[in-house]
């Protein structure tokens, strides 16, 4: 999207209750480029990269180095898009110093505009510490996959846990987060949480009343036959298209159709003749 300016954290706060924010999780240069040219405003370099790109079962093995590496590629592909780097498991749990050092790496080395931390009231003081150092923080409450132990179910289905999620949202907002991802909660609770905080909520399976929405780009594109998040919506079915392209390539290589003259370089006739005579094959 030529001419567009990157949203700042402040711009994003100002969108509360206004035009819906759009965010996608993405991990590499070509997809980041396409996301930017489609006009999507935020990219999350999510720790979902562990499962979606690196083939792990959970996000737990993802490291700060992994996120820095993928973040740099995304930033190169989408220089006018607000990029949020996920803080991986145990990269912010040990101490304020550890959290701040790792958040700083994601900004300084990864080139991200903000970091995202999972957790509510317990993690709020850490959010405050990072925000006080001048790094914008996006919160993440409801289903928090780093802590889910592999069970990715709907949260907040009884009064006590619904109230706990509202309290988490308020604590994260009070700690200075500029936006909050709200994952896998009933739509009614998504509305209540959105009304309870002054910063935008970005929903993923949290109903239509959040201030924005996010998905994982590979789910949206239908790259894998199985959705990474079962509640995601698929907007394309690229997996079979990609497979068919790979199969055609194999067929054409084996049958000699590829490479054809248009995919090959011809040698000038005099050079070819001189080469043949130098090799004694003429
Ligand atoms: O890691 C990720 O992609 C996420 C989204 C699902 C919000 O946290």
């Amino acid at each position: 999207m030529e001419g567009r300016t990157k949203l700042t954290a402040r711009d994003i706060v100002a969108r509360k209750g206004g035009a819906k924010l759009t965010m996608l999780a993405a991990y590499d240069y070509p997809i980041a480029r396409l996301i930017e040219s489609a006009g999507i405003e935020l990219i999350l370099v999510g720790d979902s990269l562990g499962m979606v790109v690196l083939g792990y079962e959970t996000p737990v093995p993802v490291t700060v180095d992994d996120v820095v590496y993928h973040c740099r590629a995304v930033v190169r592909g989408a220089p006018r898009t607000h990029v949020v780097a996920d803080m991986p498991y145990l990269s912010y749990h040990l101490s304020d110093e550890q959290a701040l050092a790792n958040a700083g790496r994601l900004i300084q080395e990864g080139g991200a505009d903000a970091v995202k931390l999972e957790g509510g009231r317990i993690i709020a003081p850490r959010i405050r510490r990072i925000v006080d150092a001048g790094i914008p923080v996006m919160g993440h409450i409801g289903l928090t996959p780093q802590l889910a132990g592999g069970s990715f179910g709907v949260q907040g289905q009884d009064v006590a846990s619904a109230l706990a999620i509202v309290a988490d949202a308020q604590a994260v907002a009070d700690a200075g987060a500029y936006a909050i991802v709200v994952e896998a909660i009933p739509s009614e609770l998504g509305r209540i949480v959105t009304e309870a905080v002054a910063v935008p909520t970005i929903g993923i399976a949290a109903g239509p009343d959040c201030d924005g929405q996010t998905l994982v780009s590979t789910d949206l594109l239908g790259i894998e036959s199985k959705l990474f998040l079962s509640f995601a919506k698929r907007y394309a079915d690229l997996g079979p298209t990609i497979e068919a392209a790979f199969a055609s390539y194999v067929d054409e290589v084996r049958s000699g159709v590829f490479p054809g003259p248009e995919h090959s370089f011809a040698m000038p006739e005099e050079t070819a003749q001189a080469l043949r005579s130098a090799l004694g094959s003429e």
Side-chain angles (χ1 to χ4, degrees):
M1 244 205 171
E2 288 305 318
R4 131 175 158 195
T5 54
K6 184 197 280 247
L7 291 184
T8 63
R10 191 187 289 249
D11 297 330
I12 290 167
V13 173
R15 287 278 287 275
K16 177 76 186 173
K20 299 273 186 189
L21 291 159
T22 50
M23 179 165 93
L24 282 179
Y27 322 96
D28 61 30
Y29 172 87
I31 295 292
R33 235 170 44 75
L34 293 169
I35 287 176
E36 178 160 296
S37 67
I40 291 164
E41 300 153 306
L42 293 93
I43 296 179
L44 170 65
V45 184
D47 63 357
S48 49
L49 86 88
M51 291 85 92
V52 169
V53 175
L54 303 177
Y56 298 132
E57 292 290 321
T58 73
V60 167
V62 174
T63 65
V64 174
D65 284 346
D66 291 333
V67 181
V68 165
Y69 177 86
H70 285 272
C71 205
R72 290 166 84 146
V74 164
V75 168
R76 284 192 291 270
R80 286 183 291 276
T81 302
H82 183 94
V83 174
V84 183
D86 231 351
M87 295 200 67
Y89 181 64
L90 280 194
S91 69
Y92 54 99
H93 301 82
L94 303 185
S95 66
D96 281 354
E97 288 66 33
Q98 181 223 21
L100 193 50
N102 284 326
R105 281 197 64 201
L106 294 169
I107 301 288
Q108 286 185 310
E109 294 174 41
D113 300 295
V115 298
K116 176 168 83 57
L117 277 67
E118 289 186 9
R121 284 156 293 171
I122 290 177
I123 223 67
R126 207 127 282 166
I127 294 178
R128 167 54 63 199
R129 182 74 185 89
I130 299 172
V131 170
D132 282 348
I135 298 176
V137 173
M138 180 177 281
H140 183 158
I141 61 164
L143 174 63
T144 48
Q146 287 173 11
L147 309 172
S151 109
F152 285 22
V154 184
Q155 311 291 302
Q157 303 234 63
D158 57 65
V159 173
S161 62
L163 288 174
I165 288 172
V166 176
D168 281 342
Q170 286 168 330
V172 166
D174 289 348
Y178 71 100
I180 308 173
V181 168
V182 183
E183 181 166 356
I185 60 172
S187 301
E188 178 64 9
L189 184 56
R191 185 182 59 72
I192 292 169
V193 166
T194 299
E195 286 171 0
V197 293
V199 294
T201 55
I202 301 184
I204 176 158
D209 295 314
C210 294
D211 299 297
Q213 295 291 326
T214 188
L215 283 174
V216 168
S217 53
T218 48
D219 277 346
L220 179 153
L221 295 172
I223 304 265
E224 294 279 358
S225 54
K226 185 169 174 288
L227 287 169
F228 166 61
L229 295 170
S230 56
F231 41 73
K233 179 166 178 184
R234 184 168 277 181
Y235 286 80
D237 199 13
L238 296 192
T241 307
I242 293 170
E243 247 174 350
F246 291 158
S248 300
Y249 166 71
V250 170
D251 286 349
E252 291 200 354
V253 169
R254 290 189 180 148
S255 65
V257 170
F258 177 84
E262 69 278 34
H263 307 112
S264 309
F265 296 107
M267 184 175 267
E269 189 43 36
E270 322 82 271
T271 312
Q273 263 181 22
L275 185 60
R276 281 197 292 273
S277 79
L279 291 168
S281 55
E282 192 177 62

mmCIF file of all heavy atoms in Angstrom, residues 3-20:
data_model
loop_
_atom_site.group_PDB
_atom_site.id
_atom_site.type_symbol
_atom_site.label_atom_id
_atom_site.label_comp_id
_atom_site.label_asym_id
_atom_site.label_seq_id
_atom_site.Cartn_x
_atom_site.Cartn_y
_atom_site.Cartn_z
ATOM 1 N N GLY A 3 2.357 4.891 0.082
ATOM 2 C CA GLY A 3 1.972 6.150 0.715
ATOM 3 C C GLY A 3 1.377 6.015 2.104
ATOM 4 O O GLY A 3 1.227 7.005 2.792
ATOM 5 N N ARG A 4 1.082 4.815 2.530
ATOM 6 C CA ARG A 4 0.455 4.718 3.841
ATOM 7 C C ARG A 4 1.515 4.860 4.929
ATOM 8 O O ARG A 4 2.665 4.476 4.741
ATOM 9 C CB ARG A 4 -0.268 3.369 3.907
ATOM 10 C CG ARG A 4 0.006 2.580 5.130
ATOM 11 C CD ARG A 4 -0.836 1.352 5.165
ATOM 12 N NE ARG A 4 -0.203 0.385 6.041
ATOM 13 C CZ ARG A 4 -0.531 -0.879 6.066
ATOM 14 N NH1 ARG A 4 -1.454 -1.339 5.248
ATOM 15 N NH2 ARG A 4 0.074 -1.688 6.893
ATOM 16 N N THR A 5 1.115 5.451 6.067
ATOM 17 C CA THR A 5 2.091 5.573 7.154
ATOM 18 C C THR A 5 1.788 4.508 8.203
ATOM 19 O O THR A 5 0.642 4.126 8.418
ATOM 20 C CB THR A 5 2.074 6.968 7.797
ATOM 21 O OG1 THR A 5 0.736 7.228 8.186
ATOM 22 C CG2 THR A 5 2.575 8.034 6.850
ATOM 23 N N LYS A 6 2.860 4.070 8.834
ATOM 24 C CA LYS A 6 2.753 3.029 9.858
ATOM 25 C C LYS A 6 1.971 3.560 11.068
ATOM 26 O O LYS A 6 2.211 4.670 11.515
ATOM 27 C CB LYS A 6 4.190 2.696 10.268
ATOM 28 C CG LYS A 6 4.342 1.592 11.251
ATOM 29 C CD LYS A 6 5.714 1.648 11.883
ATOM 30 C CE LYS A 6 6.787 1.063 11.013
ATOM 31 N NZ LYS A 6 7.370 -0.158 11.555
ATOM 32 N N LEU A 7 1.066 2.775 11.590
ATOM 33 C CA LEU A 7 0.354 3.178 12.809
ATOM 34 C C LEU A 7 1.304 3.104 13.996
ATOM 35 O O LEU A 7 2.082 2.153 14.122
ATOM 36 C CB LEU A 7 -0.816 2.226 13.098
ATOM 37 C CG LEU A 7 -2.018 2.234 12.162
ATOM 38 C CD1 LEU A 7 -3.097 1.278 12.689
ATOM 39 C CD2 LEU A 7 -2.591 3.631 12.021
ATOM 40 N N THR A 8 1.211 4.089 14.877
ATOM 41 C CA THR A 8 1.954 4.024 16.139
ATOM 42 C C THR A 8 1.024 3.433 17.207
ATOM 43 O O THR A 8 -0.197 3.324 17.001
ATOM 44 C CB THR A 8 2.374 5.435 16.592
ATOM 45 O OG1 THR A 8 1.169 6.173 16.840
ATOM 46 C CG2 THR A 8 3.203 6.138 15.538
ATOM 47 N N ALA A 9 1.610 3.133 18.355
ATOM 48 C CA ALA A 9 0.792 2.630 19.464
ATOM 49 C C ALA A 9 -0.282 3.662 19.823
ATOM 50 O O ALA A 9 -1.440 3.312 20.092
ATOM 51 C CB ALA A 9 1.696 2.327 20.658
ATOM 52 N N ARG A 10 0.091 4.923 19.778
ATOM 53 C CA ARG A 10 -0.871 5.988 20.101
ATOM 54 C C ARG A 10 -2.029 6.015 19.094
ATOM 55 O O ARG A 10 -3.190 6.176 19.457
ATOM 56 C CB ARG A 10 -0.125 7.327 20.101
ATOM 57 C CG ARG A 10 -0.900 8.480 20.667
ATOM 58 C CD ARG A 10 -0.100 9.739 20.437
ATOM 59 N NE ARG A 10 1.057 9.762 21.298
ATOM 60 C CZ ARG A 10 1.207 10.603 22.318
ATOM 61 N NH1 ARG A 10 0.281 11.484 22.579
ATOM 62 N NH2 ARG A 10 2.290 10.576 23.051
ATOM 63 N N ASP A 11 -1.695 5.858 17.788
ATOM 64 C CA ASP A 11 -2.756 5.798 16.756
ATOM 65 C C ASP A 11 -3.708 4.640 17.046
ATOM 66 O O ASP A 11 -4.921 4.733 16.829
ATOM 67 C CB ASP A 11 -2.160 5.544 15.359
ATOM 68 C CG ASP A 11 -1.250 6.655 14.880
ATOM 69 O OD1 ASP A 11 -1.467 7.812 15.257
ATOM 70 O OD2 ASP A 11 -0.298 6.344 14.121
ATOM 71 N N ILE A 12 -3.123 3.544 17.503
ATOM 72 C CA ILE A 12 -3.941 2.343 17.734
ATOM 73 C C ILE A 12 -4.885 2.567 18.916
ATOM 74 O O ILE A 12 -6.068 2.220 18.856
ATOM 75 C CB ILE A 12 -3.019 1.118 17.890
ATOM 76 C CG1 ILE A 12 -2.386 0.816 16.519
ATOM 77 C CG2 ILE A 12 -3.773 -0.102 18.432
ATOM 78 C CD1 ILE A 12 -1.223 -0.141 16.527
ATOM 79 N N VAL A 13 -4.390 3.213 19.965
ATOM 80 C CA VAL A 13 -5.268 3.538 21.110
ATOM 81 C C VAL A 13 -6.424 4.419 20.623
ATOM 82 O O VAL A 13 -7.582 4.225 21.024
ATOM 83 C CB VAL A 13 -4.469 4.260 22.226
ATOM 84 C CG1 VAL A 13 -5.408 4.734 23.329
ATOM 85 C CG2 VAL A 13 -3.386 3.342 22.795
ATOM 86 N N ALA A 14 -6.118 5.358 19.734
ATOM 87 C CA ALA A 14 -7.144 6.295 19.250
ATOM 88 C C ALA A 14 -8.222 5.601 18.416
ATOM 89 O O ALA A 14 -9.275 6.177 18.160
ATOM 90 C CB ALA A 14 -6.491 7.409 18.438
ATOM 91 N N ARG A 15 -7.963 4.363 17.998
ATOM 92 C CA ARG A 15 -8.957 3.630 17.201
ATOM 93 C C ARG A 15 -10.013 2.939 18.078
ATOM 94 O O ARG A 15 -10.923 2.293 17.560
ATOM 95 C CB ARG A 15 -8.248 2.599 16.331
ATOM 96 C CG ARG A 15 -7.498 3.230 15.171
ATOM 97 C CD ARG A 15 -8.393 3.546 13.987
ATOM 98 N NE ARG A 15 -8.758 2.321 13.323
ATOM 99 C CZ ARG A 15 -8.006 1.723 12.392
ATOM 100 N NH1 ARG A 15 -6.882 2.290 12.010
ATOM 101 N NH2 ARG A 15 -8.396 0.599 11.851
ATOM 102 N N LYS A 16 -9.883 3.057 19.409
ATOM 103 C CA LYS A 16 -10.866 2.438 20.307
ATOM 104 C C LYS A 16 -12.279 2.844 19.893
ATOM 105 O O LYS A 16 -12.590 4.037 19.786
ATOM 106 C CB LYS A 16 -10.581 2.905 21.747
ATOM 107 C CG LYS A 16 -11.585 2.393 22.773
ATOM 108 C CD LYS A 16 -11.351 0.943 23.094
ATOM 109 C CE LYS A 16 -12.408 0.369 24.002
ATOM 110 N NZ LYS A 16 -12.276 -1.086 24.190
ATOM 111 N N GLY A 17 -13.114 1.845 19.622
ATOM 112 C CA GLY A 17 -14.506 2.125 19.276
ATOM 113 C C GLY A 17 -14.689 2.668 17.862
ATOM 114 O O GLY A 17 -15.812 2.938 17.445
ATOM 115 N N GLY A 18 -13.598 2.843 17.111
ATOM 116 C CA GLY A 18 -13.705 3.385 15.747
ATOM 117 C C GLY A 18 -13.625 2.276 14.711
ATOM 118 O O GLY A 18 -14.083 1.159 14.953
ATOM 119 N N ALA A 19 -13.017 2.602 13.551
ATOM 120 C CA ALA A 19 -12.893 1.592 12.486
ATOM 121 C C ALA A 19 -12.130 0.388 13.036
ATOM 122 O O ALA A 19 -11.125 0.553 13.733
ATOM 123 C CB ALA A 19 -12.140 2.196 11.301
ATOM 124 N N LYS A 20 -12.609 -0.796 12.713
ATOM 125 C CA LYS A 20 -12.018 -2.018 13.287
ATOM 126 C C LYS A 20 -10.553 -2.174 12.861
ATOM 127 O O LYS A 20 -10.219 -1.965 11.685
ATOM 128 C CB LYS A 20 -12.783 -3.249 12.814
ATOM 129 C CG LYS A 20 -14.243 -3.258 13.221
ATOM 130 C CD LYS A 20 -14.461 -3.849 14.585
ATOM 131 C CE LYS A 20 -15.953 -3.975 14.877
ATOM 132 N NZ LYS A 20 -16.221 -4.348 16.255
#
